[in-house]
Amino acid sequence: MNVRTGAGVRSLARIVARDDGRGGTSLPVLESDGPLALRRTRATGSEARVMLVGAMSGPLGGDHFTVEGRVEEGARLSVGSAAATIALPGQAKGEARYDVRLDVADHGELHWLPEQLISAQGSDLYVTTRVELAPTARFVLREEQVLGRVGEEPGRLTSRLTVRVAGQAVLDQELACGPGAPGGWDGPAVLAGHRAVGQLVVVRPEFAAEPVAATVLGEGASVVPLAGPAALVTAVAPDALRLRRLLEEAFASLPRA
Amino acid sequence: MSRAALLVLADGRFPAGGHAHSGGAEAAVKAGRISGAASLGEFCRGRLHTAGLTAAGLSAAAALGIDPVALDRAADARTPSPALRVAARKLGRQLLRAARATWPSAELDALGREFPKGAHQPVVLGLAARAAGLGPVDAAYCAAYESVSGPTSATVRLLSLDPFDATRVLARLAPELDRVADRAVEAARKAVGEGVDALPAGSAPLLEIGAEVHAAWPVRLFAS
C-alpha cells in the first residue's frame, strides 16, 4: 500500500498477535510496507517478538506513516525497533505524520518499546499514538524524543499520546516543541533547555487496587499513578543516553509484574 | 449577558482560594528556573500554551454545556501528576462554594452533589461562567489568564519581584492569551459534536515533575 505521490509517501504496516493455543503467540498478520519493515525475531516463552526495521530513512515532510498493532485475547507481543527514527525535512512541503494505533484485548499483553525519535533540524512531524486496552490487558509503552542530532537545532515535533482502558482515557497528553511550536516550550515550565524527553506508560489491572506510590528521581523524573490502572514515568534529560537511564531506573522502581 | 460579571469572576479577590497556589512557580523558583522577570515571562508563556490551553478548553466546554462528568474525566487524563489532580479538585471545591453563593444555579448545585470532593477547577470555572450568564469565550479567557496570573503573583512573593515588572510580564502575554482563548473555544465547539477527545491536551513535563518534587517538600509556602 506504499504509494509515492507528489505529497510524500503513505505507508501502513500491520501486526496482529494471536494466542496459538499451545502456550505461544502466532502472528497471523505481519505486513510491512515500504519504509516500514517488520521482522519477526526469536520468541521468548509465550511472547512473540517483532522488530520494526527502518528500510528507508524516517518520515520526511509530506510522508504519512501508520503502524497498527493488535494483540488478541491472551496473546503476548513485544515490539522494538532496530534503530532510532529520524524525522527529516523533505522535498514535499508540509508536515509529516506518524500514527501508531494499538489495541490489546483481555488477558493480552503488549510491550511497545521503540528506539528514540530524533527531530532533525528543519523537520516537521506530528506523531499520534492511540492505545485502546481491554480491562484486563497489560501494557508497557516507551516514548523518547530527542530534539536535534548532536549540536543541531531541533525540528518541529508535536506528539499526542492517548491511552484508554475499557474505553476510558487514563492519559491524554500532547507535547509540542521546536521552532514554530507555541511559545515557552524550551522555557522553565516545559523543557528548560533539556534536549531529551520521554514517557513510560505501564498499565496493569492490579494497579486499580494497588496504585504505584508517587515518587521523584532527582529533579528530572517522576513516577506517578494515573487516574486508572496505570502508572506514568515522565522524564527530561540533557541527552538520549541519560534519558534512557532515567526511564530504566524508574521502571526498575515499579513493583515486579 | 453582563460583561461586568467577567470582571467579578476573573478578579483575584474572588474568594476561590487561588492565592494559596503558585501554579508550579514555587518549585521552579527553588530549582533556579525562575530567577527574575525574564524567566518568569518564559515560565508563564510555556504554562499558558500547555496547562493554560488545556484548562481554557475544559472551561469553554463546560460553559457550552458539555457534560461535566465527561469533562472531569478528560481533566484527569490530562493531569498525570496526582499532586496536581488533588490541587485542581481542592480549587474546584473552593470555587464552587464561592460561585454557588454568588450566582445560585441548579447546575452548580448538581455539580456539588456529583463531586462532593470537588471537580477539576477549570470545569467548575466553566459552569460558574455559565451561571453568571457568561459564555465560552469568557470562560476560556478566565482560565487562560489564571494560568499565568497565579504564578506571577506567587513569584512576586517568592522573589520579592517588583510588582511593576510582574504586571508587565502579564501585559506582554496579552496577544498570546487571545490566541490561546481562541484555540480553546474552537476546540470546545468541536467537542460539542465530537466528544471531549477534541479538547486540547497540552502538557509540560517540568510542570508535572516539579509538582511531584514540590509535593514531597516538608515545608512549602504554597499548596501547589
Side-chain angles (χ1 to χ4, degrees), chain A residues 149-211:
Chain A
R149 290 168 293 195
V150 176
E152 176 188 66
E153 286 301 305
R156 181 173 182 176
L157 177 62
T158 306
S159 175
R160 182 140 182 182
L161 170 61
T162 312
V163 179
R164 292 166 190 288
V165 179
Q168 180 60 53
V170 298
L171 180 66
D172 193 348
Q173 286 204 292
E174 183 170 289
L175 179 64
C177 37
W185 64 269
D186 203 20
V190 187
L191 292 178
H194 293 91
R195 281 295 169 264
V197 53
Q199 305 198 94
L200 189 72
V201 187
V202 182
V203 182
R204 294 178 193 161
E206 59 265 32
F207 284 160
E210 287 178 60

Coordinates of all heavy atoms in Angstrom, one line a residue, chain A residues 149-211:
Chain A
R149 N 19.9 16.3 16.3 CA 21.1 15.5 16.4 C 22.1 16.3 17.2 O 21.9 17.4 17.5 CB 21.5 15.1 15.0 CG 20.5 14.1 14.4 CD 20.8 13.9 12.9 NE 20.5 15.1 12.1 CZ 20.4 15.1 10.8 NH1 20.5 14.0 10.1 NH2 20.2 16.3 10.2
V150 N 23.3 15.7 17.4 CA 24.3 16.4 18.3 C 24.6 17.7 17.7 O 25.0 17.9 16.5 CB 25.6 15.5 18.4 CG1 26.6 16.2 19.2 CG2 25.2 14.2 19.1
G151 N 24.5 18.7 18.6 CA 24.9 20.1 18.2 C 24.0 20.8 17.2 O 24.3 21.7 16.6
E152 N 22.8 20.2 17.0 CA 21.9 20.7 15.9 C 20.6 21.3 16.6 O 20.2 20.7 17.6 CB 21.5 19.5 15.0 CG 20.5 19.9 13.9 CD 20.1 18.6 13.2 OE1 19.4 17.7 13.8 OE2 20.4 18.4 12.0
E153 N 20.0 22.3 16.0 CA 18.7 22.8 16.4 C 17.7 21.7 16.1 O 17.8 21.0 15.1 CB 18.4 24.1 15.7 CG 19.1 25.3 16.2 CD 18.9 25.5 17.7 OE1 17.7 25.7 18.1 OE2 19.9 25.6 18.5
P154 N 16.6 21.6 16.9 CA 15.6 20.6 16.6 C 14.7 21.1 15.5 O 14.7 22.3 15.1 CB 14.8 20.5 17.9 CG 15.0 21.8 18.6 CD 16.3 22.3 18.2
G155 N 13.9 20.1 14.9 CA 12.8 20.5 14.0 C 11.6 20.7 14.9 O 11.7 20.8 16.1
R156 N 10.5 20.8 14.2 CA 9.2 20.9 14.9 C 8.6 19.6 15.1 O 8.5 18.8 14.2 CB 8.2 21.8 14.2 CG 6.9 22.0 14.9 CD 6.0 23.0 14.3 NE 4.8 23.1 15.0 CZ 3.8 24.0 14.8 NH1 3.9 24.8 13.7 NH2 2.8 24.1 15.5
L157 N 8.3 19.3 16.4 CA 7.7 18.0 16.7 C 6.6 18.1 17.7 O 6.7 18.8 18.7 CB 8.9 17.1 17.4 CG 8.5 15.7 17.9 CD1 8.0 14.8 16.7 CD2 9.7 15.1 18.6
T158 N 5.5 17.5 17.3 CA 4.3 17.5 18.1 C 3.9 16.1 18.3 O 3.8 15.3 17.4 CB 3.1 18.3 17.5 OG1 3.6 19.6 17.2 CG2 1.9 18.4 18.5
S159 N 3.6 15.7 19.6 CA 3.3 14.3 19.8 C 2.1 14.2 20.8 O 2.1 14.8 21.8 CB 4.5 13.6 20.4 OG 4.2 12.3 20.8
R160 N 1.1 13.5 20.3 CA -0.1 13.3 21.2 C -0.2 11.8 21.5 O -0.1 11.0 20.7 CB -1.4 13.8 20.5 CG -2.6 13.6 21.5 CD -3.5 14.8 21.3 NE -4.7 14.7 22.2 CZ -5.6 15.6 22.2 NH1 -5.5 16.7 21.4 NH2 -6.6 15.5 23.0
L161 N -0.3 11.6 22.8 CA -0.4 10.2 23.3 C -1.7 10.0 24.1 O -2.0 10.7 25.1 CB 0.8 9.9 24.2 CG 0.8 8.6 25.0 CD1 0.8 7.4 24.1 CD2 2.1 8.6 25.9
T162 N -2.5 9.1 23.7 CA -3.8 8.8 24.3 C -3.9 7.3 24.7 O -3.7 6.5 23.8 CB -5.0 9.2 23.4 OG1 -4.8 10.5 22.9 CG2 -6.3 9.2 24.2
V163 N -4.1 7.1 25.9 CA -4.3 5.7 26.4 C -5.6 5.5 27.0 O -6.0 6.3 28.0 CB -3.2 5.3 27.4 CG1 -3.3 3.8 27.8 CG2 -1.8 5.5 26.8
R164 N -6.4 4.5 26.6 CA -7.7 4.2 27.2 C -7.8 2.8 27.7 O -7.2 1.9 27.1 CB -8.8 4.3 26.1 CG -9.1 5.6 25.5 CD -9.9 5.3 24.3 NE -10.0 6.6 23.6 CZ -10.7 7.6 24.1 NH1 -11.5 7.4 25.1 NH2 -10.7 8.7 23.5
V165 N -8.4 2.7 28.8 CA -8.6 1.4 29.4 C -10.1 1.2 29.5 O -10.8 2.1 30.1 CB -8.0 1.3 30.8 CG1 -8.3 -0.1 31.4 CG2 -6.5 1.5 30.7
A166 N -10.7 0.2 28.9 CA -12.1 -0.1 28.9 C -12.9 1.2 28.4 O -13.9 1.6 28.9 CB -12.6 -0.5 30.3
G167 N -12.3 1.8 27.4 CA -13.0 3.0 26.7 C -12.8 4.3 27.4 O -13.1 5.3 26.9
Q168 N -12.2 4.2 28.6 CA -12.0 5.5 29.4 C -10.5 6.0 29.3 O -9.6 5.2 29.6 CB -12.3 5.1 30.9 CG -12.2 6.3 31.8 CD -13.1 7.5 31.4 OE1 -14.3 7.3 31.2 NE2 -12.5 8.6 31.2
A169 N -10.3 7.2 28.9 CA -9.0 7.7 28.8 C -8.3 7.8 30.2 O -8.9 8.4 31.1 CB -9.0 9.1 28.1
V170 N -7.2 7.2 30.3 CA -6.4 7.4 31.5 C -5.2 8.3 31.3 O -4.7 8.8 32.3 CB -5.9 6.0 32.1 CG1 -7.1 5.1 32.4 CG2 -4.9 5.3 31.2
L171 N -4.9 8.6 30.1 CA -3.8 9.5 29.8 C -4.1 10.2 28.4 O -4.4 9.5 27.4 CB -2.5 8.8 29.7 CG -1.2 9.7 29.4 CD1 -1.0 10.7 30.6 CD2 0.0 8.8 29.2
D172 N -4.0 11.5 28.4 CA -4.2 12.2 27.1 C -3.3 13.4 27.2 O -3.6 14.3 27.9 CB -5.6 12.6 26.9 CG -5.9 13.0 25.4 OD1 -4.9 13.3 24.7 OD2 -7.1 13.2 25.1
Q173 N -2.2 13.4 26.4 CA -1.2 14.4 26.5 C -0.6 14.8 25.2 O -0.4 13.9 24.3 CB 0.0 14.0 27.4 CG -0.4 14.0 28.9 CD 0.8 14.1 29.7 OE1 1.7 13.2 29.7 NE2 1.0 15.2 30.4
E174 N -0.4 16.1 25.0 CA 0.3 16.5 23.8 C 1.5 17.4 24.1 O 1.3 18.3 24.9 CB -0.7 17.2 22.9 CG -0.1 17.6 21.5 CD -1.1 18.2 20.6 OE1 -1.9 17.4 20.1 OE2 -1.1 19.4 20.3
L175 N 2.6 17.1 23.5 CA 3.8 17.9 23.8 C 4.2 18.5 22.4 O 4.4 17.7 21.4 CB 4.9 17.1 24.4 CG 6.2 17.9 24.7 CD1 6.0 19.0 25.7 CD2 7.3 16.9 25.1
A176 N 4.4 19.8 22.3 CA 4.8 20.4 21.1 C 6.1 21.2 21.3 O 6.2 21.9 22.3 CB 3.8 21.4 20.6
C177 N 7.1 20.9 20.5 CA 8.4 21.6 20.7 C 9.1 21.9 19.4 O 8.7 21.4 18.3 CB 9.3 20.9 21.7 SG 9.3 19.1 21.6
G178 N 10.1 22.8 19.4 CA 10.8 23.1 18.3 C 10.4 24.4 17.7 O 9.3 25.0 18.1
P179 N 11.1 24.9 16.7 CA 10.7 26.2 16.0 C 9.3 26.1 15.5 O 8.9 25.1 14.8 CB 11.7 26.4 14.9 CG 12.8 25.3 15.1 CD 12.3 24.3 16.1
G180 N 8.5 27.1 15.7 CA 7.1 27.1 15.2 C 6.1 26.6 16.2 O 4.9 26.7 16.1
A181 N 6.6 25.9 17.3 CA 5.7 25.4 18.3 C 5.3 26.6 19.2 O 6.0 27.6 19.2 CB 6.4 24.4 19.2
P182 N 4.1 26.5 19.8 CA 3.7 27.6 20.7 C 4.8 28.0 21.7 O 5.6 27.2 22.1 CB 2.5 27.1 21.4 CG 2.0 26.0 20.5 CD 3.2 25.4 19.9
G183 N 4.9 29.3 22.0 CA 6.0 29.8 22.8 C 6.2 29.1 24.2 O 5.3 28.5 24.7
G184 N 7.4 29.2 24.7 CA 7.7 28.8 26.0 C 8.1 27.3 26.1 O 8.3 26.8 27.2
W185 N 8.1 26.6 25.0 CA 8.3 25.1 25.0 C 9.7 24.8 25.5 O 9.9 23.8 26.1 CB 8.2 24.5 23.6 CG 9.1 25.0 22.6 CD1 9.0 26.0 21.7 CD2 10.4 24.5 22.3 NE1 10.1 26.2 21.0 CE2 11.0 25.3 21.3 CE3 11.2 23.4 22.8 CZ2 12.3 25.1 20.8 CZ3 12.5 23.2 22.3 CH2 13.0 24.0 21.3
D186 N 10.7 25.7 25.4 CA 12.0 25.5 25.9 C 12.3 26.2 27.2 O 13.4 26.2 27.7 CB 13.1 25.9 24.8 CG 14.4 25.1 25.0 OD1 14.4 24.1 25.6 OD2 15.4 25.6 24.5
G187 N 11.2 26.8 27.7 CA 11.4 27.6 28.9 C 11.2 26.8 30.2 O 11.1 25.6 30.2
P188 N 11.2 27.5 31.3 CA 11.3 26.8 32.6 C 10.1 26.0 33.0 O 10.2 25.2 33.9 CB 11.5 28.0 33.6 CG 11.2 29.2 32.9 CD 11.4 29.0 31.4
A189 N 8.9 26.2 32.3 CA 7.8 25.4 32.6 C 7.7 24.1 31.9 O 7.0 23.1 32.3 CB 6.5 26.2 32.4
V190 N 8.4 24.0 30.7 CA 8.2 22.9 29.8 C 9.5 22.0 29.7 O 9.5 20.9 30.2 CB 7.7 23.3 28.5 CG1 7.3 22.1 27.6 CG2 6.5 24.2 28.6
L191 N 10.5 22.5 29.1 CA 11.7 21.7 28.9 C 13.0 22.3 29.5 O 14.0 21.6 29.7 CB 12.0 21.3 27.4 CG 10.9 20.4 26.8 CD1 11.2 20.2 25.3 CD2 10.9 19.0 27.5
A192 N 13.0 23.6 29.6 CA 14.2 24.3 30.2 C 15.5 23.9 29.7 O 16.4 23.6 30.4 CB 14.1 24.1 31.8
G193 N 15.6 23.8 28.3 CA 16.9 23.5 27.7 C 17.2 22.0 27.6 O 18.2 21.7 27.0
H194 N 16.4 21.2 28.2 CA 16.7 19.7 28.1 C 16.4 19.3 26.6 O 15.5 19.8 26.0 CB 15.8 18.9 29.0 CG 16.1 19.1 30.5 ND1 15.5 20.1 31.2 CD2 17.0 18.5 31.3 CE1 16.0 20.0 32.5 NE2 16.9 19.1 32.5
R195 N 17.2 18.4 26.1 CA 17.1 18.0 24.7 C 16.5 16.6 24.5 O 16.4 16.1 23.4 CB 18.5 18.2 24.0 CG 18.8 19.6 23.6 CD 17.7 20.1 22.6 NE 17.8 21.6 22.4 CZ 17.0 22.4 23.0 NH1 16.1 22.0 23.9 NH2 17.0 23.7 22.7
A196 N 16.2 16.0 25.6 CA 15.6 14.7 25.5 C 14.4 14.6 26.5 O 14.6 15.0 27.6 CB 16.6 13.6 25.8
V197 N 13.3 14.1 26.0 CA 12.1 14.0 26.9 C 11.4 12.7 26.6 O 11.4 12.2 25.5 CB 11.2 15.2 26.7 CG1 10.8 15.4 25.2 CG2 9.9 15.1 27.5
G198 N 11.0 12.0 27.7 CA 10.4 10.7 27.4 C 9.3 10.4 28.4 O 9.2 11.0 29.5
Q199 N 8.5 9.3 28.1 CA 7.5 8.8 28.9 C 7.5 7.3 28.9 O 7.8 6.7 27.9 CB 6.1 9.3 28.5 CG 6.0 10.8 28.4 CD 4.6 11.3 28.3 OE1 4.0 11.6 29.4 NE2 4.0 11.2 27.2
L200 N 7.1 6.8 30.0 CA 6.9 5.3 30.0 C 5.5 5.1 30.7 O 5.3 5.6 31.8 CB 8.0 4.7 30.9 CG 8.2 3.2 30.9 CD1 8.8 2.7 29.6 CD2 9.1 2.9 32.1
V201 N 4.7 4.4 29.9 CA 3.3 4.2 30.4 C 3.2 2.7 30.8 O 3.6 1.8 30.0 CB 2.2 4.5 29.4 CG1 0.9 4.3 30.0 CG2 2.4 5.8 28.8
V202 N 2.8 2.4 32.0 CA 2.6 1.0 32.4 C 1.2 0.7 32.8 O 0.8 1.4 33.7 CB 3.6 0.6 33.5 CG1 3.5 -0.9 33.8 CG2 5.1 0.9 33.1
V203 N 0.5 -0.2 32.2 CA -0.9 -0.4 32.6 C -1.0 -1.9 33.0 O -0.6 -2.8 32.3 CB -1.9 -0.2 31.4 CG1 -3.3 -0.4 31.8 CG2 -1.7 1.2 30.8
R204 N -1.5 -2.1 34.2 CA -1.7 -3.4 34.8 C -3.0 -3.4 35.5 O -3.2 -2.5 36.3 CB -0.5 -3.8 35.7 CG 0.8 -3.9 35.1 CD 1.8 -4.2 36.2 NE 3.2 -4.1 35.7 CZ 4.3 -3.9 36.5 NH1 4.1 -3.9 37.9 NH2 5.5 -3.8 36.0
P205 N -3.8 -4.4 35.4 CA -5.1 -4.4 36.1 C -4.9 -4.3 37.6 O -5.7 -3.6 38.3 CB -5.7 -5.8 35.8 CG -4.9 -6.3 34.6 CD -3.6 -5.6 34.5
E206 N -3.8 -4.8 38.2 CA -3.7 -4.8 39.6 C -3.4 -3.3 40.1 O -3.6 -3.1 41.3 CB -2.6 -5.7 40.1 CG -1.2 -5.5 39.5 CD -0.9 -6.4 38.3 OE1 -1.9 -6.7 37.6 OE2 0.2 -6.8 38.1
F207 N -3.0 -2.4 39.3 CA -2.8 -1.0 39.7 C -4.1 -0.4 40.1 O -4.1 0.7 40.8 CB -2.2 -0.2 38.6 CG -0.7 -0.4 38.4 CD1 -0.1 -0.1 37.2 CD2 0.1 -1.0 39.4 CE1 1.3 -0.3 37.0 CE2 1.5 -1.2 39.2 CZ 2.1 -0.9 38.0
A208 N -5.3 -1.0 39.7 CA -6.6 -0.4 40.1 C -6.7 -0.4 41.6 O -7.1 0.5 42.3 CB -7.7 -1.1 39.4
A209 N -6.3 -1.6 42.2 CA -6.5 -1.8 43.7 C -5.2 -1.2 44.4 O -5.3 -0.7 45.5 CB -6.7 -3.2 44.0
E210 N -4.1 -1.4 43.8 CA -2.8 -1.0 44.4 C -2.0 -0.1 43.5 O -1.1 -0.5 42.8 CB -2.0 -2.2 44.7 CG -2.5 -3.0 45.9 CD -1.6 -4.3 46.1 OE1 -0.4 -4.1 46.4 OE2 -2.1 -5.4 46.0
P211 N -2.4 1.2 43.4 CA -1.7 2.1 42.6 C -0.2 2.3 43.0 O 0.1 2.1 44.2 CB -2.4 3.4 42.7 CG -3.3 3.3 43.9 CD -3.5 1.8 44.2

